[in-house]
Each structure stands twice: as C-alpha cells, then as structure tokens.
C-alpha cells in the first residue's frame, strides 16, 4: 500500500508529525508538498493528491489544511475520489469501513499532532466492509 500526502501551509507542521509516524511504522509513502510553511493555495495540493490517488499510483491519501474543509472539498471534485474530513479516530475508521474513503482530510488547526497520528492510524488500519456499503458507494457519482 503506497500512501500520498499533501497539505497547504496550515497543514505543513502537522504533516511532518504524520510523516514521522509513517516512517516509524515502515509505511511506503510520498510527500507531494507543500515543502514549507510558506503560504500556498489548498486547491493546488488537493488536485495533486487527488490525481495521484485517482491514477492508482497511490492506494490512499492523507491531506491537511487549516480546517480540512478546503482540501477535502477540492479533492472531492474528482470522480474517483472519496475524501473524508476526519476529526476523530471513529470517523476515520467509519470513513474507510462505510464510505471506502481514499483520502483522509485532517483539520490541522483544530486537532493536536497526537490526535492526527491516531486518526491516520485508524484510517490506515480500517478497510471497506462491502455489502450494503458497496451499493451506496456505487450511487455516489452523479447519476
Ligand atoms: C489557510 O489560511 C486556510 O484557509 C486553509 O488552510 C483551509 O483552512 C481552507 O479550507
């Protein structure tokens, strides 16, 4: 499983904490940017991570911006993306189990680094439950 990461300036510091965790746990990942805390526009990073996941090069993505909303909204413009705003471990696990979310969007200005790592851990260790959730997932694209 290869993981893509992306954030704007607001998520930059927390992204480093997530990277430390991924390194420690031996995950295969790539940081697509931003590469500094200099101000940048969240849609640029959202489209970068969405293209990366949608292409199949990465199985899952972790994205961050101040509220998590901007990067989440922009990524969800991509047909193959199911990006979920995750602010708790339970929400993150359910996003994988029920929604087959392929990007976990973190609200960096509203959670701690420790919470972010726990949320990422829950997201990466959960899987889609199929069954009735598969039927619902298939109805997500514009019909
Ligand atoms: C940047 O200041 C902030 O607007 C951005 O990180 C995010 O919260 C947008 O949704």
């Amino acid at each position: 499983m290869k993981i893509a990461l992306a954030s704007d300036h607001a998520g930059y510091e927390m992204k480093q904490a997530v990277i430390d965790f991924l390194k420690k746990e031996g995950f295969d990942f790539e940081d697509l940017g931003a590469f500094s805390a200099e101000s940048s526009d969240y849609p640029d990073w959202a489209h970068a991570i969405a293209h990366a996941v949608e292409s199949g090069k990465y199985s899952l993505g972790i994205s961050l911006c101040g509220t998590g909303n901007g990067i989440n909204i922009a990524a969800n413009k991509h047909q193959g993306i199911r990006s979920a705003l995750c602010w708790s471990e339970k929400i993150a696990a359910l996003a994988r189990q029920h929604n087959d979310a392929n990007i976990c969007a973190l609200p960096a200005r509203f959670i701690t680094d420790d919470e972010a790592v726990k949320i990422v851990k829950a997201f990466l260790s959960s899987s889609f439950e199929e069954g009735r959730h598969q039927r619902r997932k298939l109805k997500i694209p514009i019909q």
Side-chain angles (χ1 to χ4, degrees), residues 21-38:
F21 161 75
L22 295 175
K23 271 187 191 157
K24 197 175 71 166
E25 297 292 317
F27 281 102
D28 187 8
F29 69 91
E30 191 173 342
D31 181 7
L32 306 179
F35 301 108
S36 80
E38 190 184 328

Side-chain angles (χ1 to χ4, degrees), residues 7-11 39-43 64-73 106-110:
S7 76
D8 69 356
H9 55 289
S39 183
S40 60
D41 301 334
Y42 63 80
L64 309 90
C65 72
T67 60
N69 269 327
I71 207 157
N72 188 48
I73 290 168
L106 297 169
R109 288 180 175 153
F110 296 87

